Amino acid sequence: MNTPLHATARAFFITGTDTEIGKTFTTCALLRRWQREGLRCVGYKPVAAGATLIDGQWVNEDAAQLHAASSPGFSIADINPLCLQAPMAPHLAAQREGRHIGVEALVDSFEALRARADVVLVEGVGGFIVPLDEHTDTAQFAQRLGLPVILVVGLRLGCINHALLTVEAIASRGLQLAGWVANTVDAEMSGLADNIATLEARIAAPRLGTLPRLDMTDGTDPALLLTEPALGAMLNSPQTP
């Protein structure tokens, strides 16, 4: 494992308790939240699996959302340098296409973005530990970057177990959990508030906000729902790789 990176721009690694629990939704909300403070922000989806051919270019939906939520001046290719076509685990999609997921190339792309922004949010794939090839997974990639981690907890049945296991996995790899966001996947979940309270009691990092289940057609900006004081403190406190 190489030495973690050092740079001045703020950056965080966004992971989740599972796939389809709102990492991209939350990352976009954070990008817009910090842009309101006059910061140049960009999302980075180093690897994405599942794409649609648009004007001759394969485009991943999550990457397109990050592009729309980022400050102007960044291309889809900047935000998502490795776009795989099949919607499956990235190492399997890469094998199907005869491609190799080169971690160092993805690190270089991150460094290039960090030189052009005040804040970079690196969104992982699926949960915290997802294979990238025969020897490397996303947890090791997070270690390579050496960034503080923001955990998105998808509020649905089983989220407490998934969240606490992920918190343990992050700590076991020597990474700092900077905070967590509660994202309401199941609006009808029994004891939703009690689940959040249980997680707050057991996770030693601040809750950065709770996002409700939103109808995105009603014009509500989720960035306006992220008002916890810890969000500002994250950008003002020293960041040690």
Side-chain angles (χ1 to χ4, degrees), residues 71-86:
S71 298
F74 299 98
S75 68
I76 285 279
D78 291 332
I79 287 169
N80 176 214
L82 182 54
C83 181
L84 301 165
Q85 298 174 24

Side-chain angles (χ1 to χ4, degrees), residues 14-30 45 62 65-66 123-124 126-127 150-156 180-186 211-213 222 226:
I14 314 292
T15 193
T17 48
D18 202 348
T19 191
E20 300 297 328
I21 50 78
K23 287 192 307 300
T24 301
F25 177 69
T26 302
T27 302
C28 289
L30 289 168
K45 184 81 172 178
D62 291 347
Q65 291 181 32
L66 293 176
E123 184 186 324
I150 296 173
L151 172 63
V152 180
V153 178
L155 296 178
R156 64 186 182 193
W180 62 283
V181 174
N183 182 51
T184 308
V185 174
D186 179 7
L211 296 174
R213 184 76 179 182
L226 295 172

Side-chain angles (χ1 to χ4, degrees), residues 1-101:
M1 187 64 62
N2 295 319
T3 302
L5 304 169
H6 296 264
T8 56
R10 308 295 297 182
F12 299 91
F13 187 86
I14 314 292
T15 193
T17 48
D18 202 348
T19 191
E20 300 297 328
I21 50 78
K23 287 192 307 300
T24 301
F25 177 69
T26 302
T27 302
C28 289
L30 289 168
L31 289 168
R32 292 190 170 104
R33 166 69 172 76
W34 281 324
Q35 283 180 75
R36 291 177 181 274
E37 300 183 15
L39 298 171
R40 182 168 171 77
C41 303
V42 62
Y44 180 48
K45 184 81 172 178
V47 179
T52 302
L53 189 61
I54 300 175
D55 296 329
Q57 179 183 11
W58 289 99
V59 177
N60 172 263
E61 181 181 359
D62 291 347
Q65 291 181 32
L66 293 176
H67 182 249
S70 296
S71 298
F74 299 98
S75 68
I76 285 279
D78 291 332
I79 287 169
N80 176 214
L82 182 54
C83 181
L84 301 165
Q85 298 174 24
M88 57 176 59
H91 72 296
L92 298 177
Q95 288 174 10
R96 177 175 290 192
E97 295 180 29
R99 303 176 70 179
H100 173 69
I101 300 176

Side-chain angles (χ1 to χ4, degrees), residues 100-175:
H100 173 69
I101 300 176
V103 169
E104 288 308 311
L106 299 178
V107 170
D108 290 342
S109 295
F110 164 75
E111 284 286 80
L113 278 186
R114 204 172 194 186
R116 300 167 55 196
D118 298 312
V119 178
V120 182
L121 299 183
V122 182
E123 184 186 324
V125 182
F128 184 57
I129 306 174
V130 176
L132 294 176
D133 61 22
E134 297 86 349
H135 309 291
T136 310
D137 58 39
T138 50
Q140 292 169 306
F141 178 62
Q143 285 180 292
R144 175 67 183 93
L145 296 177
L147 302 176
V149 178
I150 296 173
L151 172 63
V152 180
V153 178
L155 296 178
R156 64 186 182 193
L157 186 63
C159 67
I160 293 175
N161 176 62
H162 291 163
L164 298 182
L165 285 174
T166 305
V167 168
E168 283 193 8
I170 292 166
S172 73
R173 284 156 178 79
L175 296 171

